[in-house]
Amino acid sequence: MESPRYTVKDRQFWKIILSLLFASLFTFANMYAVQPLLPVFVEEFQVPVSTASLSLALTIIGLILGLIILGFFSDRNGRKSYIIYSLIGSAIPFFIIPLTDSFSILLFLRFIQGFALAGVPAAALAYISEEIDRKNIAYATALYISSNVLGGMIGRISTGFLTDHFSWQISFYAFAVTGLFIFVIVLYLLPPSQNFNSSQVSFAKDIEGFLFHLKNPALLVVFGLGTVLQTSFTGIWTYLPFYLAASPFSMSLQAISYLFFAYGIGVIGSPMAGRVAEKFSIRNVRLAGVFILSAGIFMTLSPYLWMIVVGLCVTCLGFFTAHALTAASVSQQATHHKGSASSLYLVSYYIGVAAGSSVLSPLWTSGGWTGLVLFSAILPLLYIMAITLYRKKAGSSRR
C-alpha cells in the first residue's frame, strides 16, 4: 500500500526540499564553476578557446553518461543512495585537479566529476514525483529548479571572485571542502523513500521500459525543447566573458562574474512560474517563458552595458520559467520508469549545455557576439513554430 504523499503543510515536504536544495546547490555550482575561468585557462595552459571550453563540455558529457546509467539503476535500487554518493564522489576531484599542470588531466578529471555529479539530477525529480502530493509537484519541482539556478550562480560568482583575489586552485579547494560539508548535511536530513517500488523485472525488460519513452511523441517534444533552450542559454553565458573582457568593455574577471547575479531572477522566477502554471496551465506559461528568453537574448545586442545587464536578467527569467515547467511536465507525462524519463530529459537538456559551450565555438569565432546572439535568440522561436505546425498538421490528419 502506498504511503501518503507529502504536501506543503508537512514537515517532511520541507526536509525533502531543503535536502535537495543543498545537494543541488553543490551539484550545479560544481558543474558551472569553470565557466568564468575559461579565459584564465586559455592564458595559463596556453590552449585555444575551443579547448578551454571542453572543461565544461566534457563535464557535461560525463554527466550525460551518468544520467543514462544512474537514472536506469535508480529505478531498480532507489533514490537516496544515488543522491548521497553523488555528492562525495563529485567533491573528491576538486582536491586533485589543482595538483596537476596538465590540461589534459584536468579535462579527464572534469569528465569523471561530471559522471559522479549525475546521481543528484538522475534521482531528484523522480524522488519528488514519488514522495510529493501530485498537486504540489509543479511547485516542488520549481523550488528544486530554483536551487539549480542558485547553485549555478554561486559556482560562477565564487570562482570568479576567488580566482581574482587568490587563484583558481584555491577556489577548487574551497569547493572540495564545501562538498564534504553538504554531503554530511544531506546524509542526515534527506528522508528515506516511502513510495519507491523497486523494479523486479529483468534488465532486458527494464531497458525496454527505459527506451519506451523515446517512442512517446509528447515526451520527445519536451526532450527537444530542453536541448534547444539550453543550447541558446549556455551559448550566451559561455562566450559572455570573452565578449566583455575585450574592447570596448574591457571588464575584469571579478566584474564579469558579478553579472551571474542575474541568475537570481531565476531563483525567484522558477517558483513563481510553478504557482502561475497552476492557474494558466504549464503549456501556456512555458510558452511565455520561451518568448521572454528570446527577447532577453536580443537585448544583449545593445552597445550599452546597462542594457546588456537588463537583457541577461530577462534571459534568465524566461529560461528558468520554461525549464522549470518543462521538467515538471516530464514527471506528469511519464506513467512508469519516472527516473528514466527524468534522466532522458536531463540528457537532452545537457546535450544543449555541451552544444552551447563547445559546438557554438565556430559561430563565435566567425560571427562574433552578433552572430551568436542572433542564432541563440531565433533557435527557440523556430523550434516552437515547428512544433506548433507539426501539431496542427497531426490534428488535421486525425479528422
Side-chain angles (χ1 to χ4, degrees):
M1 183 178 177
E2 186 179 88
S3 300
R5 300 188 178 213
Y6 305 119
T7 69
V8 292
K9 298 179 181 179
D10 298 316
R11 183 182 179 185
Q12 294 293 85
F13 175 95
W14 294 106
K15 288 181 69 175
I16 290 171
I17 294 301
L18 191 59
S19 299
L20 295 182
L21 185 147
F22 277 119
S24 175
L25 281 178
F26 179 70
T27 297
F28 286 86
N30 180 328
M31 189 184 311
Y32 293 109
V34 299
Q35 199 168 46
L37 302 181
L38 300 186
V40 176
F41 290 157
V42 168
E43 182 177 349
E44 182 163 332
F45 292 96
Q46 295 297 300
V47 295
V49 172
S50 58
T51 301
S53 69
L54 291 176
S55 59
L56 176 59
L58 285 177
T59 307
I60 301 305
I61 292 172
L63 179 74
I64 289 170
L65 292 176
L67 286 169
I68 295 172
I69 296 171
L70 300 182
F72 173 80
F73 280 103
S74 76
D75 279 333
R76 298 182 67 88
N77 304 321
R79 315 298 183 193
K80 182 174 178 177
S81 60
Y82 286 91
I83 294 172
I84 295 299
Y85 292 116
S86 173
L87 292 171
I88 189 69
S90 58
I92 291 173
F94 274 129
F95 285 109
I96 304 172
I97 292 175
L99 301 177
T100 182
D101 57 2
S102 168
F103 199 66
S104 296
I105 294 176
L106 183 151
L107 293 178
F108 174 74
L109 291 172
R110 284 292 289 173
F111 172 81
I112 296 300
Q113 201 168 35
F115 185 90
L117 282 171
V120 172
L125 290 175
Y127 184 100
I128 288 173
S129 70
E130 292 164 352
E131 306 301 323
I132 302 299
D133 185 80
R134 186 175 180 83
K135 293 181 180 178
N136 297 127
I137 284 179
Y139 182 52
T141 301
L143 288 173
Y144 168 72
I145 296 297
S146 71
S147 68
N148 298 176
V149 182
L150 187 60
M153 181 180 73
I154 290 173
R156 293 168 168 103
I157 292 172
S158 60
T159 52
F161 179 84
L162 290 173
T163 299
D164 239 17
H165 286 78
F166 303 100
S167 68
W168 67 267
Q169 291 91 341
I170 291 296
S171 70
F172 274 32
Y173 285 132
F175 269 83
V177 173
T178 302
L180 295 181
F181 180 68
I182 290 177
F183 162 75
V184 173
I185 292 177
V186 177
L187 177 64
Y188 288 100
L189 191 62
L190 184 64
S193 296
Q194 299 294 318
N195 295 306
F196 171 75
N197 294 312
S198 177
S199 175
Q200 302 299 321
V201 300
S202 66
F203 274 100
K205 286 291 184 182
D206 254 351
I207 292 174
E208 182 181 339
F210 183 91
L211 296 176
F212 179 79
H213 298 307
L214 298 178
K215 301 177 183 178
N216 184 335
L219 282 176
L220 288 177
V221 168
V222 173
F223 297 158
L225 182 58
T227 300
V228 167
L229 290 174
Q230 190 58 270
T231 298
S232 294
F233 187 72
T234 302
I236 291 298
W237 284 104
T238 296
Y239 297 98
L240 182 72
F242 294 102
Y243 176 58
L244 295 181
S247 179
F249 301 103
S250 302
M251 294 176 63
S252 68
L253 180 61
Q254 180 178 338
I256 293 170
S257 69
Y258 288 153
L259 296 181
F260 288 99
F261 276 118
Y263 271 55
I265 302 295
V267 176
I268 300 170
S270 293
M272 287 180 57
R275 285 299 194 187
V276 174
E278 292 175 357
K279 296 182 178 180
F280 297 102
S281 84
I282 286 179
R283 185 176 176 181
N284 289 335
V285 180
R286 182 176 61 199
L287 183 63
V290 172
F291 283 108
I292 293 171
L293 165 67
S294 292
I297 294 175
F298 275 123
M299 291 171 68
T300 65
L301 286 173
S302 172
Y304 303 107
L305 183 60
W306 68 268
M307 180 61 77
I308 293 174
V309 173
V310 172
L312 292 173
C313 292
V314 174
T315 296
C316 287
L317 175 63
F319 172 76
F320 288 110
T321 294
H323 168 45
L325 298 180
T326 304
S329 68
V330 172
S331 297
Q332 292 185 0
Q333 293 182 26
T335 57
H336 60 86
H337 289 79
K338 290 180 179 288
S340 300
S342 296
S343 292
L344 284 172
Y345 168 69
L346 291 172
V347 165
S348 65
Y349 177 83
Y350 290 115
I351 287 174
V353 176
S357 60
S358 288
V359 177
L360 295 187
S361 178
L363 181 61
W364 161 254
T365 302
S366 61
W369 185 251
T370 300
L372 185 74
V373 165
L374 292 176
F375 177 85
S376 300
I378 294 172
L379 181 62
L381 301 178
L382 289 178
Y383 185 83
I384 292 296
M385 288 175 58
I387 293 304
T388 302
L389 291 174
Y390 170 78
R391 284 174 171 163
K392 287 183 177 180
K393 185 177 180 180
S396 300
S397 64
R398 293 192 192 103
R399 294 192 185 99

